Amino acid sequence: MIVVPDVSSLLFDHHQTYLIGVPMAATMAVAVDEQTSQRWAYALVLAASGVALGVSGVPAPLYGIYQKQWHLSPLTTTIVFAVYAVAALGAVLVSGRISDVVGRKPVLLGAFATMVAGLLVFVLADSVPMLLLARALHGVAVGSTVVAGAAALLDLRPHRGARSGQLSGVAFNVGMAVAILGSALLAQYAPHPLRTPYVVITVVCLAIGVGVLALREPHSARVAGRIRIAKPAVPPEIRADFWFSAIGVMAAWSVLGVLLSLYPSLATQQTGIHNLVFGGAVVASTALSGATAQLFATGVPARRAAILGDTGMALALVLTVPALATHNWVVVLAAGVALGATFGLGFGGSLRHLSDVVPQHKRGETMSAYYLLAYSAMALPTIAAGWAATTWGLSTVFPWFVGVVAVACLIAAGLGLRRDRSGVVRA
């Protein structure tokens, strides 16, 4: 999957459901017999997850306007984007435990209240510090929604963890694609382009919030104990498997950061199409192709899917350079779709593989290490690309960035092939 990545796949196991920071025995014990009195609850939580990821994508088509009207450099734009990733990481590491202690519903309500607060800051924003504050608030809100929502889905349907993970990924991508296209359309054709998209999505968030208020708490048995951050660690016995998955996701998420923060502007620059809907369509089509690939690749063995996806992503990345050079919008759009499909295949396969091999009693700390690397890879290379683009120009820097990340994808694929051929794990 593309766009904010399918972190739900880190929460759901294909053989046994589990949640980062959440004792699964407790979750299973307090399942609310499929919530028969609130049959809409499951769909509501999925919708909440999709809307949350949509909120995170709303600013993507607007960065070009900010750059022009506020005279922002690419470095500033990428810093604004990266703040979201850092805040989301912090929320992901603590919100699972918080939802165990206080319940899923309070965490979801707090997340949507924070989401609305961030949207209001965007509406009123007239400076970069306000953009940074808004993105930080949204990082906290989205990270909390993803984890508490995943826990709530397991509470509501405890025997369908793998299916819930798959549906969450689809909801994330659909929410992101709809929000980005909607934001682009409103910014292009409605008045007040830097305010109207946020006002519209605020109304949607308030509607979801009303639904959450009516939701019966799915986690009826609280877990006693302190709220703490999961400590990242990797068990020695799965170190090779971990790095196979981690290098692939680090490469993929670094592409994701640039795709969301800089690529729409680059596509516009290279094609000469300055309609915001085109930039939104580039990202949205990539998101939908990633979701489709994940949806239909569940029958492919995880390691094989990851190897194919990593290799394909390296090729698709390299092809974006000549695609942009054609200045043809159809070719540029097709390159984005190819990149999204290979991203979805590789990322989904890597997550499924790691879920298969991580020891049950080490899942929390292992997935925390995975999160740390993934979000760092989203933030740090994006900032580096923004700095380089400010210094030398985005069109000059982009091919070098693509080359480095493509090599990282091939390294990940090579680690997977090494294991396949040897039949043993090599640290």
Side-chain angles (χ1 to χ4, degrees), residues 107-168:
V107 173
L108 289 172
L109 285 174
F112 271 82
T114 304
M115 221 174 291
V116 170
L119 289 166
L120 292 177
V121 174
F122 265 124
V123 170
L124 300 174
D126 58 4
S127 64
V128 172
M130 292 187 74
L131 293 183
L132 293 172
L133 173 60
R135 288 298 281 171
L137 289 171
H138 283 169
V140 171
V142 174
S144 300
T145 301
V146 166
V147 174
L153 291 175
L154 288 178
D155 292 330
L156 292 165
R157 295 186 181 177
H159 303 297
R160 302 181 187 177
R163 179 63 172 167
S164 292
Q166 185 182 51
L167 290 176
S168 293

Side-chain angles (χ1 to χ4, degrees), residues 91-292:
V92 160
L93 293 179
V94 301
S95 54
R97 182 63 180 177
I98 292 174
S99 75
D100 278 349
V101 175
V102 305
R104 320 301 186 208
K105 181 176 176 178
V107 173
L108 289 172
L109 285 174
F112 271 82
T114 304
M115 221 174 291
V116 170
L119 289 166
L120 292 177
V121 174
F122 265 124
V123 170
L124 300 174
D126 58 4
S127 64
V128 172
M130 292 187 74
L131 293 183
L132 293 172
L133 173 60
R135 288 298 281 171
L137 289 171
H138 283 169
V140 171
V142 174
S144 300
T145 301
V146 166
V147 174
L153 291 175
L154 288 178
D155 292 330
L156 292 165
R157 295 186 181 177
H159 303 297
R160 302 181 187 177
R163 179 63 172 167
S164 292
Q166 185 182 51
L167 290 176
S168 293
V170 173
F172 290 166
N173 284 279
V174 170
M176 181 68 71
V178 171
I180 289 175
L181 277 178
S183 175
L185 284 166
L186 290 169
Q188 183 66 46
Y189 298 113
H192 310 295
L194 293 182
R195 286 167 175 72
T196 304
Y198 300 120
V199 172
V200 171
I201 195 68
T202 297
V203 174
V204 176
C205 287
L206 290 174
I208 293 291
V210 171
V212 175
L213 274 174
L215 179 69
R216 183 177 295 110
E217 171 60 53
H219 187 54
S220 57
R222 304 295 188 270
V223 176
R226 294 180 300 171
I227 296 172
R228 62 184 184 275
I229 297 176
K231 296 179 180 178
V234 180
E237 63 270 26
I238 65 160
R239 191 165 294 159
D241 289 285
F242 176 85
W243 283 111
F244 162 59
S245 295
I247 292 174
V249 77
M250 289 169 71
W253 281 29
S254 63
V255 174
L256 183 64
V258 173
L259 179 73
L260 287 175
S261 60
L262 297 177
Y263 191 74
S265 298
L266 181 60
T268 296
Q269 173 186 321
Q270 293 298 101
T271 60
I273 299 176
H274 298 284
N275 190 303
L276 293 174
V277 178
F278 172 67
V282 169
V283 180
S285 62
T286 307
L288 290 177
S289 66
T292 303

Side-chain angles (χ1 to χ4, degrees), residues 232-243 354 357-367 369 425 427:
V234 180
E237 63 270 26
I238 65 160
R239 191 165 294 159
D241 289 285
F242 176 85
W243 283 111
L354 190 58
V357 300
V358 64
Q360 180 178 352
H361 64 289
K362 297 286 187 179
R363 282 174 178 153
E365 61 190 43
T366 303
M367 294 306 183
V425 176

